[in-house]
Amino acid sequence: MTYAYEKLHDFTFQLLCKIGCPPDQAKTASDVLLSADLRGVDSHGVARLSGYVRLWQKGRINPTPNIKITYETPSTAVVDGDGGLGLVVAPFAMKVAMEKAEKVGTGWVSVKNSNHYGIAGYHSMMALEKDMIGISLTNASPLVAPTFSQERLLGTNPISVAIPAKNQPPFVADMATTTAANGKLEILQRKGMDTPTGWVQDKTGLPTTSANGVKDGGALLPLGGDREHGSHKGYALGSVVDILSAVLSGANYGPWVPPFVAFLDPDPNPVGEGIGHFFGAMRVDAFRPADEFKSHMDNWITRFRNAKPTPGNDKVLIPGDPERELEAIRIKEGIPLLDPVVKDLTELGEKFGVKF
Amino acid sequence: MTYAYEKLHDFTFQLLCKIGCPPDQAKTASDVLLSADLRGVDSHGVARLSGYVRLWQKGRINPTPNIKITYETPSTAVVDGDGGLGLVVAPFAMKVAMEKAEKVGTGWVSVKNSNHYGIAGYHSMMALEKDMIGISLTNASPLVAPTFSQERLLGTNPISVAIPAKNQPPFVADMATTTAANGKLEILQRKGMDTPTGWVQDKTGLPTTSANGVKDGGALLPLGGDREHGSHKGYALGSVVDILSAVLSGANYGPWVPPFVAFLDPDPNPVGEGIGHFFGAMRVDAFRPADEFKSHMDNWITRFRNAKPTPGNDKVLIPGDPERELEAIRIKEGIPLLDPVVKDLTELGEKFGVKF
């Protein structure tokens, strides 16, 4: 069963208005949330709406935040999200980064006191229309065990980098710093299937291929899977994301990051405020003429896309290709939702008097 | 057999003077090269000295470069390395980044017309003494096949991020964006051993565990190893390094990057000048007071280091721990060199009248 983008967007918008979001913020949040559904990151889209609402019910999301810059230099800022939706705080902060880039070449903004910000790629891609390179990082609830750690200390801490091209579509990387995202485990759970090696460890810290491994007290593994396959690199990347997002801004980091699920309480002794993000914007013409840069990007993209593929594969993909292709289909044909998500949204709508 | 740091440093310095480097540049280059040996990245240290000399003999390294800024904004610059040793060009460029950070909070420098710059971590760590976060990236000769590509299109394109702490030693990540670095293959070749899965593909593009896979026309694999284990993420990271280092500066990128080995000629139709690097420096007090940041870094590091380890492992390591521990040992006990390296350096010394 598929649903039109506009319908899901309108439902989300109306629901966010019902919990007290000002219309302009509800609009922004709906744009960000639905962009996940369009791009195929279904775990970060409208399926999460009721999760955000439950956090609001617990008083953990401020629907009318006073988002502001608390400190700045010509190329940097710290933004206080005032406990607002990350879906609203993040675009605010990315705009600050872009305004600074306009003036001094680059802008870098670390954010505290925020919440889950949807897909990382939405925010990095905001830079593209200004011929800027966009960077978007966030920390998240601890589900990931560092190499050699039995404990979960990091989130899936994604990295997104968006780079403009000329006639080619842009390069858009958007990746968790784990081998696989949690959403992929859920799919395997529903199918009763095992995971590949290197995705999960069990609660004793040993490798497992159980799709229930994380649920049962284990952890996701950093990109690489184990030491022999480079998990210390995935661990290092996830750590850098955590530090730039939270130690730099004054948000919670590592195991102190508040959980996204409302049934788990945040640590009673936080080391900072809310969760943290980090954004960067670099004007390409702060390095060389934009047209020259973008022509070379076209050449880069074309050369890679036309590389000889390995046996059994059609072609080499450019980061962002699969998501862009899916977006074109879903805008036209609608967004597929699983039955439990439809049921969840229907009940949510009934509760708040918004027809799904 | 081990050799004292000072002896190897002096040998390198004198040899670089013989090929025409000004003494101050020969000193810097020796510092950078030997830091690899101290930190255990043996493949990037003095073992490479004769490789640099062969490039000089071919006229591919300019011993007296006029390194200069060719374009800049308050927070950015492009540096032209004038074909000099990357070992000299990179510290110059990192200093430019730090000077800009001093003034406007952060500095970002993309470099063209350079050569191999040693270990990425030397340059990022320059930022630490100024309470800055340092970032160092470089592209390199194409040895890596993107996900689904039979062709080698990327280098091992490392990422280094150095972050200062207070009483704890700094956090220093320094990692190739491949599952394993080429140096590890060489070790296995000498031992006649196979590689783990996910390190290498053969020349037809199929996975192999042959340690000779790359030598025989295959390729190193991006971090992750294959699609199921997230190789598209390692590929995306290596690509970002390539683009920031070279498309942004006007250096060669992707398959056009000139090979490090002198017996292979650069592409006759280059898309840019030399190889490219990218450096960043961010003043931590451009975000929050340095002392506050560094105290939280101590807390971050302590919490992670004290995490409960997985069965069979002693402790959780912080990025930079193994290299720092090895450096302390090697400064005291000397640097071990393999027989072929000793032979190579002895012959090199004889040729240039410098006693090894």
Side-chain angles (χ1 to χ4, degrees), chain A residues 75-76 104 106 150-151 235 247 253 286 288 296 300 303 308 317, chain B residues 75-76 104 106 150-151 235 247 253 286 288 296 303 308 317:
Chain A
S75 78
T76 66
V104 296
T106 68
Q150 188 173 319
E151 297 178 68
Y235 157 40
V247 183
Y253 44 82
R288 72 191 295 189
H296 277 287
W300 192 100
R303 177 66 183 87
K308 188 172 179 187
L317 301 171
Chain B
S75 78
T76 67
V104 296
T106 68
Q150 188 172 319
E151 296 179 69
Y235 157 41
V247 184
Y253 44 81
R288 72 191 294 189
H296 278 286
R303 177 66 183 88
K308 189 172 178 187
L317 301 171

PDB file of all heavy atoms in Angstrom, chain A residues 75-76 104 106 150-151 235 247 253 286 288 296 300 303 308 317, chain B residues 75-76 104 106 150-151 235 247 253 286 288 296 303 308 317:
ATOM      1  N   SER A  75      33.690  32.379  11.678  1.00  0.00           N
ATOM      2  CA  SER A  75      33.429  31.137  10.936  1.00  0.00           C
ATOM      3  C   SER A  75      32.780  30.039  11.776  1.00  0.00           C
ATOM      4  O   SER A  75      32.585  28.940  11.268  1.00  0.00           O
ATOM      5  CB  SER A  75      34.725  30.607  10.302  1.00  0.00           C
ATOM      6  OG  SER A  75      35.541  29.965  11.258  1.00  0.00           O
ATOM      7  N   THR A  76      32.453  30.319  13.031  1.00  0.00           N
ATOM      8  CA  THR A  76      31.883  29.269  13.895  1.00  0.00           C
ATOM      9  C   THR A  76      30.704  29.780  14.718  1.00  0.00           C
ATOM     10  O   THR A  76      30.563  30.988  14.912  1.00  0.00           O
ATOM     11  CB  THR A  76      32.919  28.740  14.918  1.00  0.00           C
ATOM     12  OG1 THR A  76      33.233  29.796  15.839  1.00  0.00           O
ATOM     13  CG2 THR A  76      34.184  28.250  14.243  1.00  0.00           C
ATOM     14  N   VAL A 104      32.761  34.481   5.091  1.00  0.00           N
ATOM     15  CA  VAL A 104      34.200  34.234   5.280  1.00  0.00           C
ATOM     16  C   VAL A 104      34.691  32.943   4.616  1.00  0.00           C
ATOM     17  O   VAL A 104      35.781  32.469   4.908  1.00  0.00           O
ATOM     18  CB  VAL A 104      34.599  34.235   6.786  1.00  0.00           C
ATOM     19  CG1 VAL A 104      34.369  35.609   7.388  1.00  0.00           C
ATOM     20  CG2 VAL A 104      33.887  33.139   7.563  1.00  0.00           C
ATOM     21  N   THR A 106      33.770  29.691   4.843  1.00  0.00           N
ATOM     22  CA  THR A 106      33.204  28.482   5.441  1.00  0.00           C
ATOM     23  C   THR A 106      32.471  28.850   6.735  1.00  0.00           C
ATOM     24  O   THR A 106      32.752  29.888   7.342  1.00  0.00           O
ATOM     25  CB  THR A 106      34.290  27.436   5.809  1.00  0.00           C
ATOM     26  OG1 THR A 106      35.084  27.941   6.888  1.00  0.00           O
ATOM     27  CG2 THR A 106      35.187  27.100   4.631  1.00  0.00           C
ATOM     28  N   GLN A 150      32.390  -4.245  25.498  1.00  0.00           N
ATOM     29  CA  GLN A 150      31.141  -4.979  25.670  1.00  0.00           C
ATOM     30  C   GLN A 150      29.973  -4.005  25.771  1.00  0.00           C
ATOM     31  O   GLN A 150      28.846  -4.338  25.442  1.00  0.00           O
ATOM     32  CB  GLN A 150      31.244  -5.828  26.937  1.00  0.00           C
ATOM     33  CG  GLN A 150      30.092  -6.785  27.115  1.00  0.00           C
ATOM     34  CD  GLN A 150      30.323  -7.723  28.287  1.00  0.00           C
ATOM     35  OE1 GLN A 150      31.430  -8.230  28.498  1.00  0.00           O
ATOM     36  NE2 GLN A 150      29.311  -7.971  29.069  1.00  0.00           N
ATOM     37  N   GLU A 151      30.269  -2.776  26.229  1.00  0.00           N
ATOM     38  CA  GLU A 151      29.222  -1.783  26.450  1.00  0.00           C
ATOM     39  C   GLU A 151      28.913  -0.978  25.195  1.00  0.00           C
ATOM     40  O   GLU A 151      29.787  -0.696  24.389  1.00  0.00           O
ATOM     41  CB  GLU A 151      29.681  -0.796  27.540  1.00  0.00           C
ATOM     42  CG  GLU A 151      29.907  -1.415  28.895  1.00  0.00           C
ATOM     43  CD  GLU A 151      30.394  -0.347  29.873  1.00  0.00           C
ATOM     44  OE1 GLU A 151      29.606   0.554  30.216  1.00  0.00           O
ATOM     45  OE2 GLU A 151      31.559  -0.410  30.291  1.00  0.00           O
ATOM     46  N   TYR A 235      34.834   2.824  14.529  1.00  0.00           N
ATOM     47  CA  TYR A 235      34.766   3.339  15.911  1.00  0.00           C
ATOM     48  C   TYR A 235      35.360   4.754  15.985  1.00  0.00           C
ATOM     49  O   TYR A 235      34.765   5.669  16.585  1.00  0.00           O
ATOM     50  CB  TYR A 235      35.484   2.346  16.834  1.00  0.00           C
ATOM     51  CG  TYR A 235      36.011   2.844  18.156  1.00  0.00           C
ATOM     52  CD1 TYR A 235      35.295   3.741  18.949  1.00  0.00           C
ATOM     53  CD2 TYR A 235      37.245   2.385  18.637  1.00  0.00           C
ATOM     54  CE1 TYR A 235      35.793   4.176  20.176  1.00  0.00           C
ATOM     55  CE2 TYR A 235      37.740   2.816  19.865  1.00  0.00           C
ATOM     56  CZ  TYR A 235      37.026   3.716  20.626  1.00  0.00           C
ATOM     57  OH  TYR A 235      37.519   4.156  21.827  1.00  0.00           O
ATOM     58  N   VAL A 247      30.819  17.279  22.407  1.00  0.00           N
ATOM     59  CA  VAL A 247      31.833  17.823  23.321  1.00  0.00           C
ATOM     60  C   VAL A 247      32.130  19.275  22.943  1.00  0.00           C
ATOM     61  O   VAL A 247      32.364  20.127  23.800  1.00  0.00           O
ATOM     62  CB  VAL A 247      33.121  16.959  23.325  1.00  0.00           C
ATOM     63  CG1 VAL A 247      34.118  17.507  24.336  1.00  0.00           C
ATOM     64  CG2 VAL A 247      32.802  15.502  23.645  1.00  0.00           C
ATOM     65  N   TYR A 253      27.207  13.355  25.388  1.00  0.00           N
ATOM     66  CA  TYR A 253      28.012  12.548  24.464  1.00  0.00           C
ATOM     67  C   TYR A 253      28.063  11.104  24.945  1.00  0.00           C
ATOM     68  O   TYR A 253      27.700  10.793  26.098  1.00  0.00           O
ATOM     69  CB  TYR A 253      29.417  13.126  24.319  1.00  0.00           C
ATOM     70  CG  TYR A 253      30.076  13.545  25.624  1.00  0.00           C
ATOM     71  CD1 TYR A 253      30.704  12.614  26.447  1.00  0.00           C
ATOM     72  CD2 TYR A 253      30.045  14.877  26.028  1.00  0.00           C
ATOM     73  CE1 TYR A 253      31.309  13.004  27.638  1.00  0.00           C
ATOM     74  CE2 TYR A 253      30.640  15.278  27.232  1.00  0.00           C
ATOM     75  CZ  TYR A 253      31.271  14.336  28.027  1.00  0.00           C
ATOM     76  OH  TYR A 253      31.855  14.721  29.212  1.00  0.00           O
ATOM     77  N   ALA A 286      35.294  29.607  -2.595  1.00  0.00           N
ATOM     78  CA  ALA A 286      36.313  30.050  -1.633  1.00  0.00           C
ATOM     79  C   ALA A 286      37.627  29.309  -1.908  1.00  0.00           C
ATOM     80  O   ALA A 286      38.635  29.551  -1.236  1.00  0.00           O
ATOM     81  CB  ALA A 286      35.851  29.804  -0.205  1.00  0.00           C
ATOM     82  N   ARG A 288      38.163  27.718  -5.595  1.00  0.00           N
ATOM     83  CA  ARG A 288      38.408  27.933  -7.031  1.00  0.00           C
ATOM     84  C   ARG A 288      37.070  28.333  -7.653  1.00  0.00           C
ATOM     85  O   ARG A 288      36.015  28.105  -7.054  1.00  0.00           O
ATOM     86  CB  ARG A 288      38.995  26.679  -7.678  1.00  0.00           C
ATOM     87  CG  ARG A 288      38.023  25.524  -7.845  1.00  0.00           C
ATOM     88  CD  ARG A 288      38.697  24.214  -8.244  1.00  0.00           C
ATOM     89  NE  ARG A 288      39.320  24.268  -9.568  1.00  0.00           N
ATOM     90  CZ  ARG A 288      39.821  23.188 -10.194  1.00  0.00           C
ATOM     91  NH1 ARG A 288      39.742  21.976  -9.614  1.00  0.00           N
ATOM     92  NH2 ARG A 288      40.375  23.290 -11.370  1.00  0.00           N
ATOM     93  N   HIS A 296      34.797  19.832 -13.072  1.00  0.00           N
ATOM     94  CA  HIS A 296      35.640  18.699 -12.660  1.00  0.00           C
ATOM     95  C   HIS A 296      34.830  17.665 -11.879  1.00  0.00           C
ATOM     96  O   HIS A 296      35.094  16.470 -11.990  1.00  0.00           O
ATOM     97  CB  HIS A 296      36.856  19.186 -11.863  1.00  0.00           C
ATOM     98  CG  HIS A 296      37.977  19.651 -12.739  1.00  0.00           C
ATOM     99  ND1 HIS A 296      38.760  18.787 -13.463  1.00  0.00           N
ATOM    100  CD2 HIS A 296      38.428  20.894 -13.047  1.00  0.00           C
ATOM    101  CE1 HIS A 296      39.666  19.472 -14.157  1.00  0.00           C
ATOM    102  NE2 HIS A 296      39.483  20.754 -13.922  1.00  0.00           N
ATOM    103  N   TRP A 300      34.659  13.789 -12.610  1.00  0.00           N
ATOM    104  CA  TRP A 300      34.876  12.779 -11.554  1.00  0.00           C
ATOM    105  C   TRP A 300      33.721  11.769 -11.572  1.00  0.00           C
ATOM    106  O   TRP A 300      33.923  10.556 -11.633  1.00  0.00           O
ATOM    107  CB  TRP A 300      34.956  13.487 -10.188  1.00  0.00           C
ATOM    108  CG  TRP A 300      35.450  12.642  -9.044  1.00  0.00           C
ATOM    109  CD1 TRP A 300      36.705  12.635  -8.521  1.00  0.00           C
ATOM    110  CD2 TRP A 300      34.700  11.685  -8.271  1.00  0.00           C
ATOM    111  NE1 TRP A 300      36.786  11.730  -7.497  1.00  0.00           N
ATOM    112  CE2 TRP A 300      35.569  11.138  -7.311  1.00  0.00           C
ATOM    113  CE3 TRP A 300      33.380  11.246  -8.300  1.00  0.00           C
ATOM    114  CZ2 TRP A 300      35.171  10.172  -6.388  1.00  0.00           C
ATOM    115  CZ3 TRP A 300      32.972  10.278  -7.393  1.00  0.00           C
ATOM    116  CH2 TRP A 300      33.864   9.748  -6.449  1.00  0.00           C
ATOM    117  N   ARG A 303      33.562   9.566 -14.768  1.00  0.00           N
ATOM    118  CA  ARG A 303      34.615   8.549 -14.812  1.00  0.00           C
ATOM    119  C   ARG A 303      34.284   7.379 -13.886  1.00  0.00           C
ATOM    120  O   ARG A 303      34.455   6.218 -14.260  1.00  0.00           O
ATOM    121  CB  ARG A 303      35.957   9.170 -14.429  1.00  0.00           C
ATOM    122  CG  ARG A 303      37.128   8.189 -14.378  1.00  0.00           C
ATOM    123  CD  ARG A 303      37.453   7.637 -15.752  1.00  0.00           C
ATOM    124  NE  ARG A 303      38.527   6.633 -15.710  1.00  0.00           N
ATOM    125  CZ  ARG A 303      38.311   5.335 -15.497  1.00  0.00           C
ATOM    126  NH1 ARG A 303      37.086   4.875 -15.332  1.00  0.00           N
ATOM    127  NH2 ARG A 303      39.326   4.490 -15.466  1.00  0.00           N
ATOM    128  N   LYS A 308      34.448  -0.020 -15.301  1.00  0.00           N
ATOM    129  CA  LYS A 308      34.057  -1.399 -15.602  1.00  0.00           C
ATOM    130  C   LYS A 308      33.559  -2.080 -14.331  1.00  0.00           C
ATOM    131  O   LYS A 308      34.273  -2.121 -13.329  1.00  0.00           O
ATOM    132  CB  LYS A 308      35.278  -2.144 -16.157  1.00  0.00           C
ATOM    133  CG  LYS A 308      34.943  -3.522 -16.671  1.00  0.00           C
ATOM    134  CD  LYS A 308      36.122  -4.164 -17.402  1.00  0.00           C
ATOM    135  CE  LYS A 308      35.685  -5.563 -17.846  1.00  0.00           C
ATOM    136  NZ  LYS A 308      36.788  -6.335 -18.408  1.00  0.00           N
ATOM    137  N   LEU A 317      28.007   2.814  -8.698  1.00  0.00           N
ATOM    138  CA  LEU A 317      27.098   3.878  -8.269  1.00  0.00           C
ATOM    139  C   LEU A 317      27.883   5.046  -7.667  1.00  0.00           C
ATOM    140  O   LEU A 317      28.954   4.857  -7.093  1.00  0.00           O
ATOM    141  CB  LEU A 317      26.123   3.344  -7.224  1.00  0.00           C
ATOM    142  CG  LEU A 317      25.249   2.166  -7.683  1.00  0.00           C
ATOM    143  CD1 LEU A 317      24.475   1.582  -6.501  1.00  0.00           C
ATOM    144  CD2 LEU A 317      24.288   2.605  -8.780  1.00  0.00           C
TER     145      LEU A 317
ATOM    146  N   SER B  75      38.734  32.300   5.757  1.00  0.00           N
ATOM    147  CA  SER B  75      38.833  30.977   6.392  1.00  0.00           C
ATOM    148  C   SER B  75      39.351  29.883   5.461  1.00  0.00           C
ATOM    149  O   SER B  75      39.408  28.720   5.867  1.00  0.00           O
ATOM    150  CB  SER B  75      37.477  30.553   6.976  1.00  0.00           C
ATOM    151  OG  SER B  75      36.610  30.098   5.965  1.00  0.00           O
ATOM    152  N   THR B  76      39.718  30.220   4.224  1.00  0.00           N
ATOM    153  CA  THR B  76      40.159  29.182   3.276  1.00  0.00           C
ATOM    154  C   THR B  76      41.392  29.619   2.500  1.00  0.00           C
ATOM    155  O   THR B  76      41.685  30.816   2.401  1.00  0.00           O
ATOM    156  CB  THR B  76      39.073  28.879   2.220  1.00  0.00           C
ATOM    157  OG1 THR B  76      38.905  30.028   1.375  1.00  0.00           O
ATOM    158  CG2 THR B  76      37.747  28.495   2.858  1.00  0.00           C
ATOM    159  N   VAL B 104      39.877  33.727  12.487  1.00  0.00           N
ATOM    160  CA  VAL B 104      38.414  33.674  12.285  1.00  0.00           C
ATOM    161  C   VAL B 104      37.766  32.401  12.846  1.00  0.00           C
ATOM    162  O   VAL B 104      36.632  32.087  12.513  1.00  0.00           O
ATOM    163  CB  VAL B 104      38.022  33.848  10.792  1.00  0.00           C
ATOM    164  CG1 VAL B 104      38.427  35.233  10.303  1.00  0.00           C
ATOM    165  CG2 VAL B 104      38.615  32.759   9.910  1.00  0.00           C
ATOM    166  N   THR B 106      38.285  29.096  12.353  1.00  0.00           N
ATOM    167  CA  THR B 106      38.701  27.876  11.648  1.00  0.00           C
ATOM    168  C   THR B 106      39.481  28.257  10.393  1.00  0.00           C
ATOM    169  O   THR B 106      39.342  29.365   9.874  1.00  0.00           O
ATOM    170  CB  THR B 106      37.489  27.019  11.193  1.00  0.00           C
ATOM    171  OG1 THR B 106      36.776  27.717  10.165  1.00  0.00           O
ATOM    172  CG2 THR B 106      36.550  26.697  12.341  1.00  0.00           C
ATOM    173  N   GLN B 150      35.526  -2.928 -11.070  1.00  0.00           N
ATOM    174  CA  GLN B 150      36.681  -3.791 -11.309  1.00  0.00           C
ATOM    175  C   GLN B 150      37.952  -2.954 -11.331  1.00  0.00           C
ATOM    176  O   GLN B 150      39.039  -3.450 -11.046  1.00  0.00           O
ATOM    177  CB  GLN B 150      36.486  -4.511 -12.646  1.00  0.00           C
ATOM    178  CG  GLN B 150      37.519  -5.575 -12.910  1.00  0.00           C
ATOM    179  CD  GLN B 150      37.176  -6.388 -14.152  1.00  0.00           C
ATOM    180  OE1 GLN B 150      36.022  -6.739 -14.386  1.00  0.00           O
ATOM    181  NE2 GLN B 150      38.163  -6.687 -14.953  1.00  0.00           N
ATOM    182  N   GLU B 151      37.818  -1.676 -11.685  1.00  0.00           N
ATOM    183  CA  GLU B 151      38.984  -0.800 -11.837  1.00  0.00           C
ATOM    184  C   GLU B 151      39.380  -0.148 -10.521  1.00  0.00           C
ATOM    185  O   GLU B 151      38.537   0.180  -9.694  1.00  0.00           O
ATOM    186  CB  GLU B 151      38.661   0.312 -12.837  1.00  0.00           C
ATOM    187  CG  GLU B 151      38.382  -0.153 -14.237  1.00  0.00           C
ATOM    188  CD  GLU B 151      38.039   1.035 -15.132  1.00  0.00           C
ATOM    189  OE1 GLU B 151      38.942   1.841 -15.408  1.00  0.00           O
ATOM    190  OE2 GLU B 151      36.876   1.161 -15.532  1.00  0.00           O
ATOM    191  N   TYR B 235      33.926   3.471   0.451  1.00  0.00           N
ATOM    192  CA  TYR B 235      34.072   4.088  -0.885  1.00  0.00           C
ATOM    193  C   TYR B 235      33.666   5.565  -0.830  1.00  0.00           C
ATOM    194  O   TYR B 235      34.369   6.446  -1.360  1.00  0.00           O
ATOM    195  CB  TYR B 235      33.237   3.269  -1.881  1.00  0.00           C
ATOM    196  CG  TYR B 235      32.787   3.937  -3.152  1.00  0.00           C
ATOM    197  CD1 TYR B 235      33.621   4.785  -3.871  1.00  0.00           C
ATOM    198  CD2 TYR B 235      31.509   3.691  -3.671  1.00  0.00           C
ATOM    199  CE1 TYR B 235      33.190   5.385  -5.056  1.00  0.00           C
ATOM    200  CE2 TYR B 235      31.074   4.271  -4.852  1.00  0.00           C
ATOM    201  CZ  TYR B 235      31.909   5.130  -5.532  1.00  0.00           C
ATOM    202  OH  TYR B 235      31.483   5.728  -6.688  1.00  0.00           O
ATOM    203  N   VAL B 247      39.747  17.911  -6.228  1.00  0.00           N
ATOM    204  CA  VAL B 247      38.814  18.658  -7.084  1.00  0.00           C
ATOM    205  C   VAL B 247      38.714  20.096  -6.572  1.00  0.00           C
ATOM    206  O   VAL B 247      38.588  21.036  -7.356  1.00  0.00           O
ATOM    207  CB  VAL B 247      37.429  17.977  -7.153  1.00  0.00           C
ATOM    208  CG1 VAL B 247      36.522  18.724  -8.126  1.00  0.00           C
ATOM    209  CG2 VAL B 247      37.556  16.517  -7.583  1.00  0.00           C
ATOM    210  N   TYR B 253      42.863  13.823  -9.531  1.00  0.00           N
ATOM    211  CA  TYR B 253      41.968  13.046  -8.670  1.00  0.00           C
ATOM    212  C   TYR B 253      41.735  11.662  -9.273  1.00  0.00           C
ATOM    213  O   TYR B 253      42.069  11.417 -10.443  1.00  0.00           O
ATOM    214  CB  TYR B 253      40.644  13.782  -8.473  1.00  0.00           C
ATOM    215  CG  TYR B 253      40.048  14.387  -9.735  1.00  0.00           C
ATOM    216  CD1 TYR B 253      39.331  13.610 -10.638  1.00  0.00           C
ATOM    217  CD2 TYR B 253      40.225  15.739 -10.019  1.00  0.00           C
ATOM    218  CE1 TYR B 253      38.791  14.164 -11.788  1.00  0.00           C
ATOM    219  CE2 TYR B 253      39.696  16.310 -11.179  1.00  0.00           C
ATOM    220  CZ  TYR B 253      38.974  15.518 -12.064  1.00  0.00           C
ATOM    221  OH  TYR B 253      38.456  16.069 -13.205  1.00  0.00           O
ATOM    222  N   ALA B 286      36.722  28.591  19.745  1.00  0.00           N
ATOM    223  CA  ALA B 286      35.769  29.239  18.841  1.00  0.00           C
ATOM    224  C   ALA B 286      34.371  28.652  19.051  1.00  0.00           C
ATOM    225  O   ALA B 286      33.403  29.067  18.399  1.00  0.00           O
ATOM    226  CB  ALA B 286      36.203  29.060  17.381  1.00  0.00           C
ATOM    227  N   ARG B 288      33.618  26.827  22.599  1.00  0.00           N
ATOM    228  CA  ARG B 288      33.399  26.950  24.044  1.00  0.00           C
ATOM    229  C   ARG B 288      34.769  27.124  24.690  1.00  0.00           C
ATOM    230  O   ARG B 288      35.792  26.834  24.072  1.00  0.00           O
ATOM    231  CB  ARG B 288      32.647  25.726  24.595  1.00  0.00           C
ATOM    232  CG  ARG B 288      33.466  24.451  24.653  1.00  0.00           C
ATOM    233  CD  ARG B 288      32.620  23.208  24.946  1.00  0.00           C
ATOM    234  NE  ARG B 288      32.022  23.221  26.280  1.00  0.00           N
ATOM    235  CZ  ARG B 288      31.397  22.164  26.817  1.00  0.00           C
ATOM    236  NH1 ARG B 288      31.323  21.009  26.149  1.00  0.00           N
ATOM    237  NH2 ARG B 288      30.880  22.235  28.005  1.00  0.00           N
ATOM    238  N   HIS B 296      35.939  17.992  29.379  1.00  0.00           N
ATOM    239  CA  HIS B 296      34.967  17.018  28.879  1.00  0.00           C
ATOM    240  C   HIS B 296      35.640  15.954  28.011  1.00  0.00           C
ATOM    241  O   HIS B 296      35.226  14.802  28.017  1.00  0.00           O
ATOM    242  CB  HIS B 296      33.825  17.713  28.131  1.00  0.00           C
ATOM    243  CG  HIS B 296      32.765  18.242  29.043  1.00  0.00           C
ATOM    244  ND1 HIS B 296      31.863  17.438  29.676  1.00  0.00           N
ATOM    245  CD2 HIS B 296      32.477  19.512  29.456  1.00  0.00           C
ATOM    246  CE1 HIS B 296      31.048  18.169  30.430  1.00  0.00           C
ATOM    247  NE2 HIS B 296      31.416  19.438  30.316  1.00  0.00           N
ATOM    248  N   ARG B 303      35.891   7.532  30.214  1.00  0.00           N
ATOM    249  CA  ARG B 303      34.719   6.659  30.183  1.00  0.00           C
ATOM    250  C   ARG B 303      34.900   5.538  29.155  1.00  0.00           C
ATOM    251  O   ARG B 303      34.578   4.378  29.422  1.00  0.00           O
ATOM    252  CB  ARG B 303      33.468   7.480  29.850  1.00  0.00           C
ATOM    253  CG  ARG B 303      32.185   6.658  29.723  1.00  0.00           C
ATOM    254  CD  ARG B 303      31.788   6.036  31.052  1.00  0.00           C
ATOM    255  NE  ARG B 303      30.597   5.187  30.925  1.00  0.00           N
ATOM    256  CZ  ARG B 303      30.639   3.891  30.602  1.00  0.00           C
ATOM    257  NH1 ARG B 303      31.802   3.299  30.368  1.00  0.00           N
ATOM    258  NH2 ARG B 303      29.529   3.189  30.509  1.00  0.00           N
ATOM    259  N   LYS B 308      33.819  -1.879  29.955  1.00  0.00           N
ATOM    260  CA  LYS B 308      34.038  -3.315  30.137  1.00  0.00           C
ATOM    261  C   LYS B 308      34.450  -3.935  28.796  1.00  0.00           C
ATOM    262  O   LYS B 308      33.733  -3.805  27.808  1.00  0.00           O
ATOM    263  CB  LYS B 308      32.731  -3.941  30.634  1.00  0.00           C
ATOM    264  CG  LYS B 308      32.899  -5.388  31.054  1.00  0.00           C
ATOM    265  CD  LYS B 308      31.642  -5.945  31.721  1.00  0.00           C
ATOM    266  CE  LYS B 308      31.889  -7.415  32.049  1.00  0.00           C
ATOM    267  NZ  LYS B 308      30.679  -8.070  32.544  1.00  0.00           N
ATOM    268  N   LEU B 317      40.592   0.674  23.574  1.00  0.00           N
ATOM    269  CA  LEU B 317      41.621   1.651  23.237  1.00  0.00           C
ATOM    270  C   LEU B 317      40.996   2.949  22.738  1.00  0.00           C
ATOM    271  O   LEU B 317      39.922   2.939  22.140  1.00  0.00           O
ATOM    272  CB  LEU B 317      42.532   1.085  22.144  1.00  0.00           C
ATOM    273  CG  LEU B 317      43.243  -0.226  22.499  1.00  0.00           C
ATOM    274  CD1 LEU B 317      43.946  -0.797  21.268  1.00  0.00           C
ATOM    275  CD2 LEU B 317      44.235  -0.010  23.632  1.00  0.00           C
TER     276      LEU B 317
END
